[in-house]
Amino acid sequence: MGGSGREVGGGEAYDPPAAGEAHAASGGVEEAYDAPPGVEAYDVPAAREANAATGGVEAHSAPAAGKAYSVSGAGEAHVAPPDAGAHVAPRVRGGGVVVGYVGARPPTYAAEPTALPGAEPDGLDVTVPDTVLDGAAYGACTLRAVSIRGDSARYRGESRRDALLTARFGAGDQALVLVAMATGARATPGAHRAAGEVCQWIAEAVGRSHARLAEDIRAARRGDLKSGLHRLTDRSLGRLRAGAAEQGVEPEQYTATLRCLLLPADPDCRVRVFFGVGVGGLFRLREGEWQDIEPGVAETPGHPVVGFGSSPSETPDGDRLTMDLGITTPPNPYDPAPEPPREPFRFRASVAQPGDTLLMCTAGLADPLRGEPELCAHLSRRWSDPAPPGLAAFLADAQVRVKGYADDRTAAAVWEA
């Protein structure tokens, strides 16, 4: 839940390295940046316009059936069928509300929690609730955030592997809002602890450096932001790897994905910063159409191969290189075992337009959004209205179910006034 912005002493500080400093720890950097039409790249002053305050009565207008909804970076369109959303209207039964679904058939699991996770008398501090819901409004944006245990975990009595943390550091227009979410490794003990820890550690690091981060965002210092946040992310995930070693387990058994949003409270600054490591989704709803703006992963990671970006045939001194016959060298028994490859760091800084809705989510919601057009159409209808939904309405929207998708869902949506 939201924090008060309390400074925490010690630990790593946000310190952007000098230009050109290598960041090899994460295995690479994947980044993207975009600006609204007519605005020069990362031109914050040019984007300072139409910052009207949100007001009015909550309402949701439905577009005509058959309108196209795009969720791919290439602009692939998904057309909502005429009866799209026929199953998603909440139905009252026995004094309660039945969670809706989209698609031809209802999901296999029950729509409500059935079994609680097991607990230990000496480990109650690490228990996690089924659902966490939060919200706020700062500057030109309104935030809604939720983390929901998946249908499968509810049925099996397993803990929610997703973690959510929202916090405000600082006060007034100088404040900085952080939303962090993480997903622990599947089918591993302590997955929920790993997710919660990495969210706490990145929040502590951001909190210690929030003044510098907010200044860099307002001043459009994109390079400093990318390198500094990359460093903080590496060190937070490095603490998870150290924790795995202390527990005597493999690093991949005590790890988590991490996805974060930084939102300045300054109403004149519409720069929104996303960063993280691992799978999930980053989407933008603009003029009724979903856009998948997740920073992509390079398709040819690692060293060059012959015939495709291969190394030159000779050194700068003119020495010819010998042919690699593909004969492997036996491993040295005294060398430490190689670490598994790490996920690349992802970064995107974008300037929001009035009326946009930005959605960051874990794979539990990103996968059905990419795989079920009816879910895209339903959420587009619900979230296209300039007036953001209340907390209860957002929770109902976020848990609309799709058959075949039963993982935890964590989502944070930002409505631009």
Side-chain angles (χ1 to χ4, degrees):
M1 300 297 286
S4 61
R6 178 172 57 89
E7 294 286 351
V8 182
E12 300 294 344
Y14 165 75
D15 183 14
E21 180 178 345
H23 294 280
S26 285
V29 176
E30 298 302 328
E31 57 169 303
Y33 174 77
D34 61 340
V39 177
E40 185 178 353
Y42 224 113
D43 183 6
V44 178
R48 296 174 176 173
E49 58 183 12
N51 291 324
T54 304
V57 180
E58 177 183 339
H60 302 280
S61 59
K67 182 174 180 179
Y69 298 91
S70 172
V71 293
S72 67
E76 180 183 355
H78 297 290
V79 178
D83 60 347
H87 305 292
V88 298
R91 302 184 304 277
V92 176
R93 184 179 64 188
V97 176
V98 178
V99 178
Y101 68 92
V102 295
R105 293 181 296 168
T108 303
Y109 295 104
E112 300 293 344
T114 52
L116 287 170
E120 295 294 336
D122 298 327
L124 296 178
D125 57 329
V126 297
T127 59
V128 293
D130 179 89
T131 302
V132 174
L133 184 63
D134 206 355
Y138 287 99
C141 66
T142 299
L143 170 69
R144 298 287 181 261
V146 67
S147 185
I148 310 166
R149 191 162 55 133
D151 290 347
S152 176
R154 285 174 166 179
Y155 175 77
R156 301 176 189 278
E158 299 172 349
S159 295
R160 173 167 48 89
R161 293 185 296 117
D162 278 9
L164 171 67
L165 186 150
T166 57
R168 170 182 58 85
F169 301 103
D173 290 351
Q174 308 303 313
L176 185 66
V177 175
L178 166 72
V179 183
M181 57 183 65
T183 302
R186 189 185 299 275
T188 58
H192 60 292
R193 292 197 304 271
E197 286 177 349
V198 75
C199 284
Q200 179 179 342
W201 291 334
I202 195 65
E204 291 174 355
V206 168
R208 296 186 192 104
S209 305
H210 74 273
R212 174 70 181 275
L213 284 165
E215 179 184 349
D216 285 347
I217 292 174
R218 288 193 298 270
R221 300 188 186 110
R222 175 177 168 274
D224 287 350
L225 283 168
K226 183 184 70 174
S227 57
L229 292 171
H230 189 178
R231 176 175 294 183
L232 297 185
T233 302
D234 269 354
R235 289 170 179 171
S236 297
L237 293 173
R239 293 178 68 176
L240 277 185
R241 291 189 289 271
E246 292 175 357
Q247 299 175 42
V249 300
E250 296 298 324
E252 61 269 20
Q253 293 181 312
Y254 196 74
T255 187
T257 65
L258 177 64
R259 309 178 69 76
C260 302
L261 269 181
L262 292 178
L263 308 170
D266 186 349
D268 292 329
C269 181
R270 286 189 179 270
V271 178
R272 311 296 179 234
V273 177
F274 160 80
F275 67 96
V277 170
V279 297
L282 184 66
F283 305 93
R284 179 171 55 208
L285 181 60
R286 177 173 290 174
E287 297 179 353
E289 294 189 0
W290 285 107
Q291 301 169 356
D292 192 340
I293 58 174
E294 173 80 6
V297 176
E299 295 183 1
T300 55
H303 299 291
V305 296
V306 175
F308 192 89
S310 57
S311 302
S313 59
E314 61 183 35
T315 68
D317 297 330
D319 296 329
R320 300 290 295 181
L321 301 178
T322 58
M323 180 181 296
D324 183 1
L325 299 179
I327 302 175
T328 59
T329 303
N332 188 333
Y334 300 101
D335 289 341
E339 292 187 2
R342 300 177 187 173
E343 292 279 355
F345 178 73
R346 300 171 189 256
F347 175 90
R348 176 182 287 274
S350 58
V351 179
Q353 292 185 9
D356 283 355
T357 299
L358 182 67
L359 174 65
M360 177 181 73
C361 55
T362 58
L365 181 58
D367 290 347
L369 269 175
R370 294 185 175 115
E372 179 51 68
E374 286 192 36
L375 182 61
C376 299
H378 171 68
L379 294 182
S380 177
R381 286 192 300 272
R382 296 288 296 170
W383 293 350
S384 289
D385 195 287
L391 291 179
F394 181 73
L395 171 61
D397 293 338
Q399 62 182 344
V400 169
R401 303 189 306 148
V402 182
K403 186 174 179 61
Y405 300 95
D407 283 342
D408 299 346
R409 288 185 182 183
T410 301
V414 180
W415 277 261
E416 300 290 341

